[in-house]
Amino acid sequence: MPLPEAPTLEFLEATETTIQVEFKPNESISTYELQWKPIEANWDSAASAAVQSSGTIKTCKTEAYNLEPGTTYCVRLVCVQDEEKGKPSKELILDTNKLDVLQKMRVDVGV
């Protein structure tokens, strides 16, 4: 059975070197992967961090870290179960200089 699409990321806060986001976890998924990359880079070279959830948590907060100041980043979330990854969430796009956030739907999202 395929994994569900990851929940939508909500932007919380950004500094020049971090982006904080939150999401409402799916009750059937306990592990997620937050992925981030400079906008011009491929997802194959993205950095990532595991995020754990339980059925009792209503909102998960996490962050992308070690970002370069003055760089535009794409951030997304992926459901993970038994090393299988589901369809990524919509991307958040953030310019760490301006701190402007736009959501962008990707048509050709691959895992």
Side-chain angles (χ1 to χ4, degrees):
M1 181 173 186
L3 293 173
E5 182 174 343
T8 301
L9 287 174
E10 298 292 331
F11 170 71
L12 291 177
E13 183 180 14
T15 68
E16 289 188 335
T17 58
T18 64
I19 299 171
Q20 293 182 350
V21 294
E22 71 178 6
F23 63 94
K24 292 180 177 30
N26 183 318
E27 291 179 10
S28 65
I29 303 293
S30 62
T31 305
Y32 297 87
E33 184 177 271
L34 184 69
Q35 301 173 339
W36 61 92
K37 67 176 188 72
I39 196 165
E40 69 279 351
N42 292 324
W43 282 109
D44 293 340
S45 62
S48 64
V51 183
Q52 297 297 315
S53 173
S54 71
T56 60
I57 296 175
K58 299 205 185 297
T59 303
C60 286
K61 294 180 182 179
T62 189
E63 72 178 21
Y65 50 87
N66 292 334
L67 305 180
E68 291 292 324
T71 304
T72 301
Y73 283 89
C74 293
V75 181
R76 69 183 186 183
L77 189 69
V78 177
C79 296
V80 180
Q81 187 170 356
D82 299 326
E83 298 185 29
E84 180 184 348
K85 295 181 182 180
K87 184 178 176 183
S89 66
K90 293 177 186 174
E91 297 174 8
L92 288 181
I93 299 173
L94 180 94
D95 182 334
T96 55
N97 258 352
K98 296 179 182 175
L99 302 181
D100 290 335
V101 176
L102 302 172
Q103 286 194 13
K104 174 183 174 188
M105 183 178 263
R106 298 273 299 195
V107 177
D108 59 343
V109 181
V111 182

